[in-house]
Amino acid sequence: MVVTEEQKKGGEMYQGHEVCLPKAVELLQQFGLPGGLLPLEDVEECGVVHDTGFVWILSKKKVDHYFKLAKRKVCYGTEITAHIVKNKLEQLRGVKARELLLWVDVNEIEVDQRDSGKIHFRGLAGITRTFPVECFAPGE
Protein backbone atom coordinates (compact mmCIF):
# COMPACT_ATOMS: atom_id res chain seq x y z
CA MET A 1 0.00 0.00 0.00
CA VAL A 2 1.43 3.36 -1.02
CA VAL A 3 -0.33 6.69 -0.58
CA THR A 4 -0.18 8.40 -3.97
CA GLU A 5 0.05 12.08 -4.85
CA GLU A 6 -3.31 11.70 -6.62
CA GLN A 7 -4.95 10.60 -3.36
CA LYS A 8 -3.40 13.57 -1.51
CA LYS A 9 -4.42 16.11 -4.17
CA GLY A 10 -6.26 19.08 -2.68
CA GLY A 11 -5.57 17.99 0.88
CA GLU A 12 -4.02 19.55 3.95
CA MET A 13 -0.68 17.91 4.68
CA TYR A 14 1.45 18.11 7.82
CA GLN A 15 4.92 16.82 8.57
CA GLY A 16 6.74 15.83 11.73
CA HIS A 17 5.54 13.90 14.77
CA GLU A 18 5.11 16.99 16.97
CA VAL A 19 2.62 18.46 14.46
CA CYS A 20 0.97 15.32 13.07
CA LEU A 21 -0.05 13.54 16.26
CA PRO A 22 -2.06 16.46 17.69
CA LYS A 23 -3.60 17.08 14.23
CA ALA A 24 -4.67 13.43 13.97
CA VAL A 25 -6.24 13.50 17.45
CA GLU A 26 -8.00 16.79 16.63
CA LEU A 27 -9.38 15.36 13.39
CA LEU A 28 -10.69 12.21 15.11
CA GLN A 29 -12.42 14.26 17.78
CA GLN A 30 -13.84 16.70 15.22
CA PHE A 31 -15.58 13.73 13.55
CA GLY A 32 -16.88 12.28 16.83
CA LEU A 33 -14.24 9.57 17.29
CA PRO A 34 -12.13 9.07 20.44
CA GLY A 35 -8.73 10.77 20.27
CA GLY A 36 -6.84 7.76 21.62
CA LEU A 37 -7.55 5.52 18.62
CA LEU A 38 -4.14 6.24 17.11
CA PRO A 39 -1.35 5.89 19.71
CA LEU A 40 1.39 6.29 17.12
CA GLU A 41 5.12 7.00 17.27
CA ASP A 42 7.54 8.64 14.84
CA VAL A 43 4.86 10.02 12.51
CA GLU A 44 6.50 11.58 9.44
CA GLU A 45 3.43 12.84 7.57
CA CYS A 46 -0.33 13.03 7.90
CA GLY A 47 -3.09 14.70 6.00
CA VAL A 48 -6.74 14.98 5.09
CA VAL A 49 -8.59 15.76 1.87
CA HIS A 50 -11.77 17.44 3.14
CA ASP A 51 -13.62 17.03 -0.18
CA THR A 52 -13.33 13.23 -0.16
CA GLY A 53 -12.69 12.48 3.52
CA PHE A 54 -9.46 10.65 2.66
CA VAL A 55 -6.96 10.65 5.55
CA TRP A 56 -3.45 9.23 5.76
CA ILE A 57 -0.70 8.78 8.31
CA LEU A 58 2.84 7.75 7.44
CA SER A 59 5.17 6.61 10.23
CA LYS A 60 8.79 5.48 10.41
CA LYS A 61 7.89 2.22 12.11
CA LYS A 62 4.91 0.05 12.99
CA VAL A 63 3.53 0.29 16.50
CA ASP A 64 2.06 -2.47 18.67
CA HIS A 65 -0.20 -1.05 21.37
CA TYR A 66 -2.16 -2.76 24.14
CA PHE A 67 -5.43 -1.06 25.10
CA LYS A 68 -5.72 -2.02 28.77
CA LEU A 69 -9.41 -1.26 29.25
CA ALA A 70 -10.40 -3.12 26.06
CA LYS A 71 -7.87 -5.91 26.74
CA ARG A 72 -6.83 -5.85 23.07
CA LYS A 73 -3.52 -5.60 21.27
CA VAL A 74 -3.54 -3.54 18.07
CA CYS A 75 -0.82 -3.22 15.43
CA TYR A 76 -0.51 0.01 13.44
CA GLY A 77 1.44 -0.23 10.19
CA THR A 78 3.71 2.41 8.74
CA GLU A 79 0.93 3.54 6.36
CA ILE A 80 -2.59 4.05 7.64
CA THR A 81 -5.34 5.26 5.34
CA ALA A 82 -9.11 5.65 5.68
CA HIS A 83 -12.09 7.71 4.69
CA ILE A 84 -13.47 9.68 7.61
CA VAL A 85 -17.12 10.66 8.04
CA LYS A 86 -19.13 11.64 11.09
CA ASN A 87 -18.54 9.01 13.81
CA LYS A 88 -16.79 6.59 11.44
CA LEU A 89 -13.53 5.54 9.78
CA GLU A 90 -14.34 3.56 6.62
CA GLN A 91 -12.10 1.63 4.23
CA LEU A 92 -9.46 1.58 6.94
CA ARG A 93 -6.10 0.09 5.94
CA GLY A 94 -2.95 -0.50 8.01
CA VAL A 95 -4.56 -1.48 11.33
CA LYS A 96 -4.78 -5.03 12.73
CA ALA A 97 -6.24 -6.29 16.00
CA ARG A 98 -5.33 -9.46 17.85
CA GLU A 99 -8.27 -11.85 18.06
CA LEU A 100 -7.41 -15.05 19.94
CA LEU A 101 -4.38 -16.35 18.03
CA LEU A 102 -4.96 -14.40 14.81
CA TRP A 103 -4.28 -10.88 13.58
CA VAL A 104 -7.43 -9.49 11.93
CA ASP A 105 -7.46 -6.48 9.59
CA VAL A 106 -9.74 -3.77 10.96
CA ASN A 107 -11.55 -2.09 8.08
CA GLU A 108 -14.12 0.05 9.89
CA ILE A 109 -14.45 1.82 13.23
CA GLU A 110 -17.75 3.45 14.19
CA VAL A 111 -19.07 5.23 17.26
CA ASP A 112 -22.68 4.08 17.70
CA GLN A 113 -24.96 7.04 16.95
CA ARG A 114 -27.78 5.53 19.03
CA ASP A 115 -25.46 4.83 21.97
CA SER A 116 -22.47 7.19 21.84
CA GLY A 117 -20.91 5.24 24.72
CA LYS A 118 -20.14 2.31 22.39
CA ILE A 119 -17.62 1.91 19.59
CA HIS A 120 -17.69 -0.90 17.02
CA PHE A 121 -14.69 -2.40 15.21
CA ARG A 122 -15.36 -4.40 12.06
CA GLY A 123 -12.85 -6.71 10.42
CA LEU A 124 -12.61 -8.01 6.88
CA ALA A 125 -13.27 -11.52 8.16
CA GLY A 126 -16.74 -10.46 9.38
CA ILE A 127 -15.60 -10.17 12.99
CA THR A 128 -17.18 -7.31 14.92
CA ARG A 129 -16.26 -6.24 18.44
CA THR A 130 -17.89 -3.56 20.56
CA PHE A 131 -16.28 -1.69 23.45
CA PRO A 132 -17.01 1.33 25.64
CA VAL A 133 -15.69 4.49 23.95
CA GLU A 134 -13.65 5.42 27.03
CA CYS A 135 -11.35 2.44 26.33
CA PHE A 136 -9.86 4.58 23.52
CA ALA A 137 -9.57 7.94 25.25
CA PRO A 138 -6.20 9.72 24.88
CA GLY A 139 -3.67 8.28 27.30
CA GLU A 140 -5.42 4.90 27.73
Side-chain angles (χ1 to χ4, degrees):
M1 162 174 67
V2 175
V3 179
T4 66
E5 292 305 315
E6 185 65 29
Q7 290 173 304
K8 297 178 187 181
K9 189 175 181 179
E12 292 177 20
M13 184 171 52
Y14 304 96
Q15 295 189 327
H17 186 76
E18 296 76 26
V19 175
C20 288
L21 194 58
K23 286 289 184 185
V25 170
E26 178 184 316
L27 184 66
L28 288 171
Q29 293 174 334
Q30 177 184 355
F31 279 86
L33 295 159
L37 276 178
L38 301 170
L40 302 174
E41 299 172 12
D42 295 327
V43 177
E44 295 180 299
E45 180 181 296
C46 69
V48 59
V49 181
H50 290 285
D51 291 345
T52 63
F54 180 73
V55 295
W56 73 93
I57 298 173
L58 306 177
S59 300
K60 290 181 184 176
K61 62 181 180 178
K62 73 175 191 149
V63 173
D64 290 331
H65 182 79
Y66 185 74
F67 288 98
K68 293 176 192 157
L69 296 177
K71 297 181 178 145
R72 287 290 188 269
K73 189 172 187 178
V74 179
C75 179
Y76 297 89
T78 57
E79 285 190 22
I80 299 171
T81 62
H83 284 84
I84 193 166
V85 295
K86 184 72 176 158
N87 298 319
K88 188 187 279 188
L89 285 171
E90 302 174 317
Q91 300 171 26
L92 182 61
R93 301 288 180 265
V95 178
K96 295 179 183 229
R98 183 79 180 205
E99 190 62 37
L100 298 175
L101 299 174
L102 302 172
W103 284 100
V104 177
D105 289 313
V106 177
N107 70 330
E108 188 175 287
I109 300 173
E110 179 179 16
V111 172
D112 194 328
Q113 293 183 24
R114 293 165 287 156
D115 181 359
S116 62
K118 300 289 182 190
I119 187 167
H120 307 285
F121 294 80
R122 294 181 183 91
L124 293 174
I127 297 172
T128 300
R129 295 289 178 253
T130 301
F131 301 96
V133 170
E134 57 267 9
C135 292
F136 305 94
E140 286 301 321

